[in-house]
Amino acid sequence: MTDERRLLARTAEIAADFIDSLDTRPVPARGSVGELRVALARPLPQNPTDPVSVIEELAAAGELGVVGIPSGRYFGFVIGGAVPAALAADWLASTWDQNAGLYACGPSASVVEEVVGDWLKQLLGIPAHASFALVTGCQMAHATCLAAARNAVLADVGWNVEEAGLATAPPIRVLAGAKRHATIDRALRLLGLGTGAIAEIAADGQGRMDIAQLSAALAESAGPTIVCAQLGEVNTGSFDAAREIADVLEGTGAWLHVDGAFGLWAAASDAHAHLVNGHDRADSWTTDAHKWLNVPYDCGIAFVAHPERHRAAMTVRADYLVQAPDAVRDEVDWTPEFSRRARGFAVYAALRSLGRSGVADLVDRCCRHAERFGEGLAELPGCEILNEIVLNQVLFRFKDDATTSAVLRKVQESGEAWMSGTRWEGRSAIRISVSNWRTNEDDVVRTVAAFARAVEEIDA
Ligand SMILES: *Cc1c(COP(=O)(O)O)cnc(C)c1O
């Protein structure tokens, strides 16, 4: 074997050993930050080291601080695993090392993105004429879509924002729900609109936007307006009523942007598609492939119903360079990046390996596990389920904040499973997000049992 072949084979073996250990290893990282620094910090190497040693030592030292995110018992934040085909395709993407900014630097990467853009629109119920971009995550997908929105609402009042900037532009109003994700605010900051542009719309007890208040706010002013709705609130999994919001916006000229970071995947399941009803009437949509589609980080997706707005906001060419209809797709025209990773390969592999039915099954299975969690946890003494379990999120607490925090800490320290805490309506709560293809019924049983033990120990 050549040295390079031996290195790659050895690395694949280390990776497979890690996957095999998932059932038995603790889910949280084992090492403290101090231990990690001791294990990893060393003086800047003066001389070369053999690559096999580099990888073996990195794997041994780095493993101390690796969180078991690919485990079926990792329920933190909203974090998916990686389906095997996507993981393998991601290795291939690194091996091929294409620069997916220009067709010329990776023709297959460019065409694969065309293909997955089309597949994703079909799968997620996005209109076929929409444009798309694969970006690092939902954060940058928001920045991309809201840049297109900014272009459109200002063009409507005769302002070319790409050329004239914002310093003396007509103000833009952003109407967004009180339970919007923080990445909406940051996208507005990055785009120079500022969080001060937000007029917040109240949310109900599940985090859904109040439609009557939205309607009243829209009636207040007719200037350039962007509305940000959400499909899938991070604590409860609740959905804004897309159809009602689209109805209220009809004829107002406001741009409707939809944050569907994980909730948009409900559209891929017959059993859950009713939750997104009417979402196809939006002007732009964002979601994450690295959440529920289970491709490795990083992969967010932006869709825009007005391709000319999207392109005008992102392109790095002059507008007069109109391309022939059969022209190649240079990704730089649609993304905020220039040089970029060929993210399309992993998405392509995930969608091919799962198929429509596999994605639907993944969504339905995770939601079923969430329901089982709800049933199992509700039987524990003092446990209160706080959300309507409509999707894959379960929000709950115990009799008071101190008990809730103590139970969460005990479960986390047990190593059996990991999930994050949150605040909900002024009180401590625990949230479980089932987003990993690997999670099975045994994982749910083991995790509920870990909670039962924690409650027992605290009560004793
Ligand atoms: C995760 C999430 C985001 C941010 O996505 P990233 O991929 O982490 O940038 C935005 N909105 C919602 C609702 C989310 O769940």
Side-chain angles (χ1 to χ4, degrees):
M1 280 205 278
T2 62
D3 283 354
E4 206 163 339
R5 182 170 286 268
R6 192 168 330 119
L7 170 68
L8 295 180
R10 178 72 188 112
T11 306
E13 196 176 74
I14 290 170
D17 287 347
F18 172 76
I19 300 276
D20 283 346
S21 76
L22 287 173
D23 241 18
T24 46
R25 60 179 280 128
V27 177
R30 281 186 291 127
S32 67
V33 65
E35 288 165 334
L36 294 177
R37 286 183 182 135
V38 168
L40 291 161
R42 47 173 80 226
L44 171 65
Q46 187 62 33
N47 296 307
T49 304
D50 161 59
V52 173
S53 306
V54 171
I55 291 304
E56 287 179 341
E57 287 171 29
L58 173 63
E63 203 269 344
L64 284 175
V66 168
V67 176
I69 283 181
S71 156
R73 280 165 287 107
Y74 184 88
F75 303 108
F77 310 101
V78 184
I79 286 192
V83 290
L87 171 60
D90 202 53
W91 286 359
L92 210 47
S94 290
T95 310
W96 283 338
D97 197 21
Q98 304 294 282
N99 182 340
L102 294 172
Y103 177 88
C105 302
S108 292
S110 168
V111 172
V112 154
E113 286 196 20
E114 287 178 0
V115 174
V116 300
D118 188 45
W119 285 354
L120 288 164
K121 282 186 278 180
Q122 293 181 49
L123 190 65
L124 300 174
I126 308 287
H129 67 267
S131 52
F132 71 93
L134 300 186
V135 294
T136 50
C138 204
Q139 171 71 77
M140 286 316 291
H142 288 331
T144 304
C145 288
L146 293 173
R150 183 181 68 167
N151 169 286
V153 297
L154 288 179
D156 286 348
V157 292
W159 192 266
N160 179 343
V161 70
E162 280 70 38
E163 190 183 303
L166 279 174
T168 55
I172 296 177
R173 203 163 55 119
V174 179
L175 305 177
K179 291 293 186 180
R180 67 187 176 278
H181 197 268
T183 48
I184 292 282
D185 296 51
R186 183 156 64 175
L188 295 172
R189 277 159 45 199
L190 292 174
L191 290 169
L193 298 176
T195 52
I198 300 174
E200 193 167 281
I201 308 297
D204 70 10
Q206 295 294 310
R208 293 172 293 225
M209 198 194 294
D210 181 326
I211 309 290
Q213 199 177 323
L214 172 66
S215 179
L218 277 166
E220 256 167 44
S221 147
T225 303
I226 299 169
V227 175
C228 295
Q230 179 166 264
L231 302 177
E233 199 275 339
V234 286
N235 295 295
T236 63
S238 73
F239 287 68
D240 285 343
R243 178 172 303 285
E244 289 176 48
I245 292 172
D247 283 345
V248 163
L249 262 65
E250 196 74 51
T252 63
W255 178 287
L256 176 57
H257 172 68
V258 170
D259 177 355
F262 62 97
L264 193 56
W265 295 95
S269 146
D270 286 343
H272 293 92
H274 64 95
L275 293 166
V276 304
N277 204 344
H279 78 303
D280 55 327
R281 289 161 64 192
D283 297 291
S284 58
W285 305 258
T286 50
T287 194
D288 272 323
H290 59 219
K291 285 182 179 166
W292 227 346
L293 184 60
N294 278 248
V295 308
Y297 288 96
D298 44 21
C299 191
I301 310 161
F303 299 99
V304 181
H306 315 278
E308 69 289 357
R309 300 297 174 198
H310 182 179
R311 194 172 195 281
M314 288 298 138
T315 187
V316 284
R317 292 145 214 263
D319 284 342
Y320 57 81
L321 291 177
V322 177
Q323 292 187 308
D326 64 345
V328 298
R329 185 175 198 271
D330 284 325
E331 298 92 326
V332 291
D333 288 327
W334 307 97
T335 69
E337 302 148 327
F338 203 74
S339 293
R340 60 193 276 282
R341 180 175 180 76
R343 300 189 178 94
F345 293 126
V347 178
Y348 183 87
L351 291 174
R352 269 213 65 196
S353 78
L354 292 169
R356 259 186 198 275
S357 66
V359 177
D361 183 54
L362 171 58
V363 168
D364 294 345
R365 219 167 54 228
C366 289
C367 295
R368 221 162 36 236
H369 292 322
E371 278 176 32
R372 293 287 167 280
F373 265 121
E375 291 158 13
L377 292 167
E379 286 177 12
L380 302 184
C383 183
E384 182 190 359
I385 307 293
L386 299 172
N387 68 325
E388 297 163 15
I389 302 173
V390 294
L391 200 69
N392 61 333
Q393 307 288 119
V394 188
L395 185 66
F396 57 103
R397 68 182 173 212
F398 291 87
K399 69 171 188 277
D400 51 38
D401 282 7
T403 309
T404 303
S405 304
V407 170
L408 176 61
R409 202 165 44 245
K410 268 201 182 297
V411 172
Q412 288 173 339
E413 284 169 5
S414 76
E416 187 74 343
W418 202 90
M419 65 289 303
S420 37
T422 189
R423 302 282 298 172
W424 188 255
E425 295 184 334
R427 291 182 56 184
S428 294
I430 303 172
R431 45 193 298 290
I432 281 182
S433 174
V434 190
S435 310
N436 192 326
W437 71 277
R438 209 184 284 277
T439 299
N440 60 31
E441 273 158 38
D442 185 48
D443 291 318
V444 178
V445 169
R446 280 174 67 173
T447 304
V448 173
F451 272 99
R453 276 195 302 277
V455 172
E456 221 168 87
E457 281 169 32
I458 287 164
D459 282 352

